[in-house]
Amino acid sequence: MARIFSGIQPTGIAHLGNYLGAIQNWVALQEGNESIYCLVDLHAITVWQDPEALRAQTRTNAALLIACGIDPDHSILFHQSAVHAHARLAWIFNCVARFGWLSRMTQFKDKAGKDREAVSTGLFVYPNLMAADILAYHATEVPVGDDQSQHLELANDIAQKFNHDYRTEFFPAIHPRIMNSTARIMSLRDGTKKMSKSDTSDQSRINLTDDNDTIAQKIRRAKTDPADLPDHPEKLETRPEARNLVGIFAALANVSPAEVLREHGNQGFGHLKERLTELVITKLTPIREETLRLAGDSTHIDQILQAGAVRAAAIANPIVAQAERLVGLLPAA
Ligand code: AQP
């Protein structure tokens, strides 16, 4: 039985990219594994968040994960700030990871953009906290979208350097579990940018709680190009928007892009968009309805998260205490 860890930032409401790239994989991996899923609120505040909105989004995303099929009686579901072991280990990793390693992280470069001087130092050391999230549990399997593979390589580098510097084999190697077919869902407004909660345009993503009219409208307005759909996936390479819509369709219908093009190739986008709308609505309607039901009882959600935090801390605290001893910190009284 493997120990699985993964997280999602409560920076907004989870979207179809989060679902296809990560959450549906998390649900499947519960079977036969020890799974730990975390609302990473400490990561969220690397970019300023409205405090009330952050609290509300943490609860709504917890409800969403349960509505998607995460079973809090089986998996450990909690919010990161409730388990202090994450921040303690992250500080040690801040002292292990090298400045040059972090400078090469493409997500930092993307998020910082041209205004590097003005972003928080938390955003820069974000990958160290992510390494701590995983390694505080000695988790070895990490299901993420492929936008996170560089961060996972870095987490392995940090684990190795820690082991080397302190002459130990304390931290295990991490194996990314990336589902290639749905690894990266792109923005509906720009097929070269990933679908993201923090994109300023709500039209760029399908939130998992969007109602049916909103879903239909967003797909109708999704950017395309003037040519017909091709008859073969190779011809999608230079057509990012077409490739994205075909990819989303294939993921939701559980077929290959070639099969999607067999039915929709050599035609305009109209029919594909209509069928895609039906697929998305069929998938998201039960998730939305269950989320709204669960989110109506915030006391119950808080109880679930607190119970998850107690179980998470029981695993992470002894591991992080041992890391602190290896580094030479005095034992806690
Ligand atoms: N567009 C995507 N396609 C596939 N997978 C995705 N993931 C995120 N976006 C896509 C995967 O979802 C998990 C949780 O992501 P996150 O909330 O930790 O942060 P993120 O990757 O930075 O996602 P966002 O939506 O872009 O959030 P913001 O805007 O807050 O930065 C991860 O496993 C991720 O791979």
Side-chain angles (χ1 to χ4, degrees):
M1 192 160 80
R3 183 173 288 160
I4 307 234
F5 181 95
S6 203
I8 183 162
Q9 298 190 74
T11 39
I13 299 300
H15 50 70
L16 197 59
N18 297 131
Y19 181 78
L20 294 173
I23 300 169
Q24 68 168 2
N25 210 0
W26 299 2
V27 173
L29 287 168
Q30 294 181 110
E31 186 73 37
N33 292 301
E34 183 186 10
S35 38
I36 306 170
Y37 298 126
C38 184
L39 294 141
V40 288
D41 50 2
L42 296 178
H43 282 280
I45 60 168
T46 57
V47 175
W48 187 84
Q49 306 293 324
D50 176 79
E52 279 314 315
L54 179 63
R55 254 187 288 278
Q57 284 157 194
T58 303
R59 292 187 176 115
T60 305
N61 282 299
L64 250 174
L65 292 179
I66 298 167
C68 288
I70 301 297
D71 173 2
D73 291 329
H74 175 72
S75 294
I76 298 179
L77 178 64
F78 71 108
H79 62 295
Q80 189 183 26
S81 57
V83 178
H84 298 166
H86 293 246
R88 283 158 52 199
L89 188 58
W91 182 256
I92 293 176
F93 287 170
N94 285 344
C95 304
V96 171
R98 303 291 93 181
F99 190 87
W101 299 357
L102 292 168
S103 310
R104 288 190 278 279
M105 293 297 112
T106 53
Q107 182 170 298
F108 175 72
K109 290 186 203 163
D110 289 348
K111 288 204 170 177
K114 293 196 184 80
D115 206 9
R116 276 202 199 189
E117 295 287 313
V119 296
S120 75
T121 46
L123 192 66
F124 187 67
V125 295
Y126 178 115
N128 296 343
L129 177 58
M130 182 167 159
D133 296 336
I134 300 162
L135 291 164
Y137 297 88
H138 276 186
T140 53
E141 311 294 314
V142 185
V144 285
D146 91 329
D147 57 308
Q148 295 300 324
S149 26
Q150 195 188 30
H151 286 164
L152 291 187
E153 278 170 32
L154 183 91
N156 271 327
D157 291 344
I158 292 172
Q160 267 180 28
K161 182 158 167 53
F162 181 98
N163 288 349
H164 176 269
D165 288 357
Y166 296 102
R167 295 185 186 82
T168 176
E169 294 187 359
F170 186 60
F171 286 119
I174 299 166
H175 310 290
R177 290 236 195 165
I178 295 168
M179 285 171 79
N180 283 331
S181 57
T182 52
R184 202 176 297 209
I185 302 299
M186 310 310 276
S187 157
L188 299 180
R189 307 301 308 158
D190 176 353
T192 63
K193 271 170 57 183
K194 77 166 186 161
M195 188 177 281
S196 178
K197 290 182 234 92
S198 53
D199 193 316
T200 47
S201 164
D202 192 56
Q203 294 290 321
S204 69
R205 61 183 164 261
I206 294 174
N207 304 305
L208 297 184
T209 50
D210 279 346
D211 63 34
N212 294 352
D213 288 346
T214 308
I215 293 169
Q217 185 238 68
K218 285 180 178 176
I219 296 178
R220 214 171 30 246
R221 292 194 188 157
K223 190 174 169 200
T224 53
D225 57 41
D228 278 354
L229 284 157
D231 53 7
H232 198 276
E234 272 171 19
K235 297 183 190 155
L236 290 171
E237 289 307 312
T238 53
R239 300 178 59 187
E241 283 81 21
R243 188 177 55 187
N244 190 36
L245 293 178
V246 170
I248 296 174
F249 193 115
L252 285 169
N254 210 11
V255 297
S256 67
E259 280 171 86
V260 178
L261 292 178
R262 215 167 291 142
E263 194 185 332
H264 296 279
N266 299 319
Q267 306 172 36
F269 285 83
H271 191 233
L272 177 96
K273 282 186 167 185
E274 267 173 39
R275 289 277 297 114
L276 181 59
T277 302
E278 287 164 22
L279 278 174
V280 174
I281 287 176
T282 304
K283 178 58 93 181
L284 295 195
T285 300
I287 294 176
R288 178 184 65 242
E289 287 174 355
E290 182 61 359
T291 302
L292 295 179
R293 192 187 70 77
L294 288 164
D297 187 351
S298 59
T299 311
H300 181 54
I301 295 290
D302 287 355
Q303 282 165 351
I304 290 173
L305 292 177
Q306 281 311 326
V310 170
R311 289 164 68 201
I315 301 172
N317 284 347
I319 292 174
V320 173
Q322 178 61 10
E324 289 168 339
R325 272 191 291 277
L326 287 165
V327 169
L329 304 181
L330 286 175

